């Protein structure tokens, strides 16, 4: 069951480049169908934040070459197997979308990707009170 | 600065999403107005020439003409335009090259937006937009150069008063006018007056130039080596 089209898509932004993270947060605020539930610096505690906030999508933003970020990406994918994860690489002009596709790093493409992800059935587990992801 | 008292800003970065986010952050501020965007160095030079912005936020790693060369070219044509580098590169080489090219500041993309905005506001007021950790590297470089280069002959520079040297020492440590005023128990206007005298005596235009010049010429003691 896909998430209802009337419900806001809950997005958590994790970033090791605050200006990038805050910029994305700013851009997504304009979208009525999206709710940014948090903006956190990348740290091991992020795993707990994801478990606590239960976002529909996590955006990881920063230098992908950073060991902290790549480690967190692995941990997130390992712990939350079906978690839609969008990775915005500051060093490349692309956005990597796990479980989906790669798109150019422009706000309209990011928003488009978020809209596409909204239909994925993996989101519904939280709504029905299951363990999630 | 324009008559509306907004800081007319040109944002230069090839990463479209970063640029768009930054433009959004700046335009949400009442005192900033993004008048243009550029995705490479050549476009930056053309747009700067056309728009004559108060402030250029410049990335370094750009396709074609890089940000350092673009900074140099823009400063040649528009010396009054303030250029602040905003980059992921935190190596000394890029930092020193940017300062030599005429950048008024050097900020890392790891900064928070509020911190970034405060530095940018300071930069257009003539302050150096350089975080203390990077400022210490610049001072260390000048200490190194000052040990290598011969000092100016006695009397070549008008001597600064004791008070002016105190002000300059604090400026060299990155203190703002308000912080200097608090430290010396004087008003901000008095600090500004000292700064004007310092700049006049040293034949310089900007406070960070005064601090760097003073260290190089031995007018104030060089900073201690950075702890590693």
């Amino acid at each position: 069951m896909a998430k209802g089209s009337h419900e806001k898509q809950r997005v958590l932004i994790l970033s090791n480049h605050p200006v990038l993270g805050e910029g994305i947060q700013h851009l997504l605020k304009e979208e009525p169908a999206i709710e940014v539930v948090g903006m956190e610096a990348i740290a091991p505690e992020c795993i707990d934040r994801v478990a606590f906030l239960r976002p529909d999508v996590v955006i990881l933003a920063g230098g992908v070459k950073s060991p902290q970020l790549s480690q967190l990406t692995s941990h997130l994918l390992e712990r939350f197997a079906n978690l839609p994860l969008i990775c915005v690489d500051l060093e490349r002009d692309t956005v990597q979308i796990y479980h989906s596709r790669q798109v150019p790093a422009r706000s309209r493409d990011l928003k488009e990707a978020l809209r596409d992800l909204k239909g994925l059935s993996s989101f519904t587990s939280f709504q029905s009170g299951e363990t999630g992801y | 600065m324009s008559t509306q008292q907004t800081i007319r800003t040109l944002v230069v970065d090839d990463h479209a999403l970063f640029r768009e986010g930054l433009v959004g952050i700046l335009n949400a501020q009442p005192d900033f107005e993004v008048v243009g965007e550029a995705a490479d160095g050549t476009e930056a030079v053309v747009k700067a020439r056309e728009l004559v912005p108060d402030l250029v936020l410049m990335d370094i790693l750009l396709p074609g003409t890089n940000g350092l060369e673009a900074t140099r070219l823009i400063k040649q044509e528009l010396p009054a335009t303030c250029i602040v580098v905003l980059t992921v590169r935190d190596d000394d080489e890029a930092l020193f090259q940017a300062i030599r090219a005429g950048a008024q500041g050097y900020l890392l993309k790891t900064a928070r937006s509020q911190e970034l905005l405060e530095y940018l506001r300071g930069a257009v007021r003539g302050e150096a937009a350089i975080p203390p950790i990077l400022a210490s590297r610049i001072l260390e470089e000048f200490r190194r150069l000052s040990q290598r280069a011969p000092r100016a002959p006695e009397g070549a520079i008008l001597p600064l008063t004791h008070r002016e040297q105190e002000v300059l020492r604090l400026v060299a440590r990155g203190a703002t006018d308000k912080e200097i005023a608090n430290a010396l128990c004087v008003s901000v206007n008095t600090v500004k007056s000292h700064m004007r005298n310092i700049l006049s005596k040293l034949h310089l235009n900007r406070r960070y130039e005064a601090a760097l010049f003073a260290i190089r010429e031995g007018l104030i003691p060089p900073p201690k080596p950075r702890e590693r």
Side-chain angles (χ1 to χ4, degrees):
Chain A
M1 190 175 71
K3 188 164 184 171
S5 59
H6 60 285
E7 288 177 67
K8 285 194 175 188
Q9 197 173 18
R10 302 175 70 254
V11 176
L12 173 64
I13 302 168
L14 305 176
S15 176
N16 58 2
H17 284 80
V19 177
L20 176 62
E22 288 164 35
I24 291 172
Q25 184 179 25
H26 191 87
L27 292 167
L28 296 182
K29 267 186 192 166
E30 299 165 358
E31 291 296 302
I34 292 171
E35 179 191 0
V36 177
V37 295
M39 224 288 288
E40 307 274 337
I42 286 174
E45 300 78 45
C46 288
I47 301 280
D48 295 334
R49 292 297 289 164
V50 173
F52 177 74
L53 291 168
R54 298 182 165 195
D56 297 320
V57 183
V58 168
I59 296 178
L60 274 166
V64 165
K65 284 180 192 163
S66 136
Q68 256 194 328
L69 198 143
S70 57
Q71 200 174 31
L72 180 62
T73 307
S74 310
H75 287 167
L76 284 172
L77 290 171
E78 194 178 311
R79 168 94 182 262
F80 311 105
N82 297 315
L83 168 66
L85 199 59
I86 296 180
C87 205
V88 178
D89 186 352
L90 195 55
E91 287 155 36
R92 290 190 317 173
D93 206 12
T94 55
V95 173
Q96 178 70 43
I97 302 176
Y98 291 89
H99 312 302
S100 186
R101 65 179 195 277
Q102 200 174 56
V103 296
R106 285 172 180 76
S107 63
R108 65 170 185 273
D109 299 300
L110 179 65
K111 290 172 185 175
E112 181 73 21
L114 283 165
R115 278 193 287 273
D116 287 353
L117 283 171
K118 199 171 180 183
L120 293 185
S121 57
S122 58
F123 301 153
T124 57
S125 51
F126 277 164
Q127 288 178 285
S128 58
E130 292 166 10
T131 346
Y133 303 126
Chain B
M1 186 98 62
S2 68
T3 51
Q4 294 87 1
Q5 293 300 304
T6 55
I7 301 169
R8 299 177 66 257
T9 307
L10 172 64
V11 177
V12 185
D13 201 299
D14 62 329
H15 195 287
L17 188 56
F18 181 84
R19 195 178 64 240
E20 289 173 73
L22 188 55
V23 168
I25 291 170
L26 290 169
N27 277 336
Q29 309 303 312
D31 52 343
F32 282 89
E33 178 194 1
V34 177
V35 292
E37 298 176 41
D40 62 60
T42 308
E43 190 184 4
V45 176
V46 171
K47 289 237 170 120
R49 190 179 294 145
E50 181 186 309
L51 300 164
V52 193
D54 300 315
L55 172 70
V56 178
L57 256 178
M58 181 74 79
D59 189 16
I60 290 182
L61 301 168
L62 296 170
T65 306
N66 70 34
L68 297 172
E69 180 63 7
T71 297
R72 197 183 61 74
L73 293 169
I74 293 171
K75 285 303 280 187
Q76 261 180 6
E77 287 193 40
L78 305 166
T81 291
C82 172
I83 302 180
V84 174
V85 166
L86 180 60
T87 180
V88 292
R89 285 189 63 180
D90 70 348
D91 56 291
D92 288 355
E93 191 190 347
L95 169 65
F96 301 147
Q97 282 182 355
I99 301 298
R100 275 196 290 268
Q104 170 89 10
Y106 191 99
L107 300 171
L108 298 175
K109 286 179 177 175
T110 47
R112 297 202 73 84
S113 62
Q114 282 309 313
E115 187 187 4
L116 173 75
L117 292 167
E118 283 312 307
Y119 274 121
L120 296 180
R121 289 182 180 114
V124 293
R125 287 196 302 262
E127 296 168 13
I130 300 175
I133 185 72
L134 298 182
S136 70
R137 292 191 204 169
I138 296 173
L139 296 182
E140 194 176 323
E141 173 68 0
F142 272 90
R143 180 183 59 81
R144 198 180 61 76
L145 291 174
S146 70
Q147 284 170 348
R148 215 172 54 182
R151 283 189 179 186
E154 287 294 321
I157 300 160
L158 273 175
L160 299 179
T161 64
H162 176 69
R163 194 52 138 183
E164 286 163 355
Q165 288 186 42
E166 281 182 319
V167 170
L168 195 49
R169 230 173 261 128
L170 292 167
V171 168
R173 290 182 189 135
T176 62
D177 284 351
K178 197 176 170 188
E179 288 165 344
I180 296 170
N182 287 340
L184 301 180
C185 300
V186 295
S187 71
V188 172
N189 282 339
T190 304
V191 174
K192 286 184 190 297
S193 167
H194 284 312
M195 267 318 296
R196 277 194 297 274
N197 291 338
I198 292 167
L199 293 174
S200 168
K201 286 181 180 180
L202 299 179
H203 308 289
L204 297 169
N205 296 316
R206 297 191 184 278
R207 58 194 284 144
Y208 75 95
E209 291 172 345
L212 297 176
F213 187 84
I215 294 164
R216 193 181 65 211
E217 298 296 338
L219 286 175
I220 62 170
K224 290 175 183 169
R226 185 161 46 112
E227 287 179 16
R228 293 187 190 276

